[in-house]
Structures are given as structure tokens and as C-alpha cells.
Amino acid sequence: MKPALENYHARMLRVLDHIDRHLGDDLDLETVSRIAAFSKFHFHRQFTATFGLSVHRYVQLARMKRASHRLASNDAQSVTDIAMDAGYDAPDAFARAFRQRFGQSPSLFRKSPDWGAWLAAFGPLDNARNKLMRITFSNDDVTIRDVSPTPVAIIEHRGDRKTIGDTRQRLMDWRNAAGLPPEISPTFMVFRSERNPANPAEYRMDLCVATDRPIEANDMQVKAGVIPGGRRAVLRYPGNTTNLEPAALYLYRDWLPASGEEAGEFPIYCQRRLSLIPESPAHEVVLELFLPLK
């Protein structure tokens, strides 16, 4: 990457870090553009072009994410105080915005969070940060584990990746009806084709939810299955993303030839789960990519 572009990206990332550390402060366009050392007359267009979100939208999502963390982990703080900290003048306005985003009132989310809707709601925020993250891997990032077979509920996606949202929604609807939230039942994605095959119709992926419950006949095409056990090369991805291609390329192109290992018969797959970060009351996503070995 050219030095000028590296400098540009560093300034933009400095803005995100400032926003994340100062969510309770005034984050108007003039303040934020000054952090990046960009003209305020152009900065909002530069930010939107870089991250796919306006500054206002990014701040809104970041404050709502913090509010959801506090609701789920801090019973002592009132909904009114959380609403004010999130930038809302009244709790009813906060409640409307919260319900629109998560499908739950703040009070219901505090009692029984729908983490599936939570993950979907913050996809744009995760994507914004991932746009400039230049993630590199080394052999030290890969561990070899012996894993046990995992019974799962499976929904098969076959066809253009553009339609995968419909498949994912059917699985979410099924898991919600089955009472299997992501904090107790991790999600697996089994990649059975290239991410971008020459013919988009040949894209194939299985979406799975860990469960050993019997799967009754249903209209959502969810069926029972098993992710087999065995030896796995495991690479943890530092963040939430829908594009694990860089991590998969590293395992196949760099780690595998140097390791002396051989890939097994089962496809590469990913486990996505919610985790409580130590010393922080925030649920975050942990992604691990599994390469089966012989």
C-alpha cells in the first residue's frame, strides 16, 4: 500500500477509535473531522465513501450497541439513564428506536435478549470497521485441536450468494421458535464451494445451529445433521465479518504447505459464537475457522 493511502487509512481509523472512546461526548461533524485533520466541508462524504455509513449513522449504531450491552449486563442502571447516555432526550424515543432495531423493547431485551437479532442489527457497524482492518496471520495464530462430533440443525443454501439472506432468515426464524439463542447454541457455516464461483448459481454453503434435540418436520427445510469430529487446524478471526476468505487463503496457501499436514475430506467451516469478554460486560462475536486434517 502506498504511504499516502496508509496515512489516509490511519487518519480514518483514528476517527473510529476516537468515536468509540468518546460516545458520551459531543461528536458533531466539526469535532470528528478535526480528529482526522480533514476539512469539515468534505469529511462527511469521505467518511461515508470509506465506511459505507455516515458519521451520524455510525455514532448512532455505536451508542445503541453500548446501550444494549448495558441493558444486558447492568440491572442497576435504569433504562432512562441508558437512554440519555445513548443520546436520546426521552426514554420513549429510545424505546421506539430500540424496538425498531431489535424487535424487542429495552425492558424485554434486559430480561431475555434476542442475540440473533442483535447480531444482525450491528452488521453494518462491523462491516464499517472491517473495511480498513488489514488483518495478517502467522503460524502462531493456528492451533491444532481434536474436536468431538457436533450434532446440528442444518439448512442448506444452494445458489447465488445474493439470496443467502433469505436462507439465513429462515434459520433464524427456526432457531427462535426452537428456543436456541446464539449464546447457548453456536452457529456453524460449512463452505462447500468457492466464495465466488465462476457460475454464481453453483455457490453452496450449509448454515447450522448446534443442538442435539430432535428436529421435527418443518416448512423451513431445516434438518438434523452432524459436523464430524477429528483433528482440526483452527484459526481465530479477530473480529466479526462475513468474509473469511483471507483467513481461508492463509490456511491453504501458507500454513498447510509449511505444516507438513494434509487436508481431510470434510470442507472447511466456521464457528460463530457469542462470548463475554473478560473484564467487560459486552457480548462480542468470536469467529474460528476450522480446517479438517487427516
Side-chain angles (χ1 to χ4, degrees):
M1 185 182 297
K2 295 181 179 180
L5 187 56
E6 288 183 345
N7 177 261
Y8 184 93
H9 286 181
R11 291 159 73 184
M12 283 296 190
L13 287 174
R14 188 164 68 235
V15 169
L16 298 192
D17 290 339
H18 178 85
I19 291 173
D20 292 343
R21 291 196 306 268
H22 298 86
L23 289 173
D25 298 342
D26 187 2
L27 292 169
D28 59 38
L29 189 62
E30 184 170 356
T31 299
V32 177
S33 62
R34 188 167 59 248
I35 297 298
F38 287 128
S39 166
K40 68 177 181 179
F41 300 106
H42 302 289
F43 177 69
H44 64 292
R45 292 188 179 89
Q46 291 174 281
F47 189 98
T48 302
T50 301
F51 297 112
L53 294 172
S54 68
V55 176
H56 177 70
R57 185 65 172 152
Y58 183 92
V59 171
Q60 266 190 331
L61 285 172
R63 285 174 172 163
M64 188 64 81
K65 187 173 185 179
R66 183 181 65 170
S68 67
H69 289 161
R70 291 177 173 176
L71 283 167
S73 60
N74 186 0
D75 292 335
Q77 190 172 21
S78 70
V79 173
T80 298
D81 288 342
I82 292 173
M84 299 295 285
D85 288 344
Y88 290 85
D89 295 330
D92 56 339
F94 171 71
R96 284 195 299 272
F98 196 93
R99 188 179 295 106
Q100 183 179 17
R101 182 156 305 283
F102 302 108
Q104 292 182 293
S105 68
S107 299
L108 180 57
F109 184 87
R110 167 167 273 174
K111 293 178 183 177
S112 180
D114 181 350
W115 292 114
W118 185 89
L119 286 173
F122 291 114
L125 193 66
D126 294 324
N127 290 338
R129 290 202 66 92
N130 287 336
K131 283 181 184 295
L132 295 189
M133 286 180 66
R134 290 184 295 133
I135 297 173
T136 58
F137 303 102
S138 72
N139 288 354
D140 292 337
D141 297 320
V142 182
T143 58
I144 296 180
R145 297 184 206 162
D146 286 307
V147 302
S148 300
T150 303
V152 292
I154 298 176
I155 187 168
E156 298 176 343
H157 178 83
R158 303 292 184 263
D160 199 317
R161 286 181 60 245
K162 292 180 180 179
T163 64
I164 201 168
D166 295 335
T167 307
R168 184 178 291 110
Q169 186 61 51
R170 281 190 285 129
L171 182 64
M172 288 177 62
D173 291 343
W174 178 88
R175 80 181 300 166
N176 289 337
L180 295 170
E183 68 267 28
I184 64 170
S185 296
T187 301
F188 292 86
M189 292 165 282
V190 181
F191 305 106
R192 296 188 177 276
S193 72
E194 298 178 15
R195 177 177 170 82
N196 294 300
N199 180 359
E202 294 179 356
Y203 181 76
R204 302 169 67 232
M205 182 175 75
D206 298 342
L207 296 169
C208 313
V209 173
T211 179
D212 57 2
R213 299 180 188 175
I215 310 297
E216 298 180 358
N218 57 85
D219 296 332
M220 300 175 190
Q221 297 179 311
V222 178
K223 60 184 180 181
V226 175
I227 295 178
R231 296 176 68 246
R232 304 286 184 263
V234 184
L235 177 59
R236 177 172 290 198
Y237 196 96
N240 187 20
T241 182
T242 58
N243 182 13
L244 286 166
E245 189 71 11
L249 283 174
Y250 173 78
L251 284 175
Y252 281 119
R253 181 188 59 205
D254 300 313
W255 182 85
L256 191 61
S259 70
E261 299 280 353
E262 292 188 35
E265 297 299 323
F266 194 74
I268 194 168
Y269 62 95
C270 167
Q271 179 182 355
R272 184 190 301 263
R273 59 186 172 84
L274 285 165
S275 176
L276 193 63
I277 295 178
E279 300 180 0
S280 171
H283 285 80
E284 295 293 349
V285 177
V286 175
L287 292 177
E288 290 183 319
L289 195 63
F290 292 76
L291 175 62
L293 303 173
K294 288 186 178 179

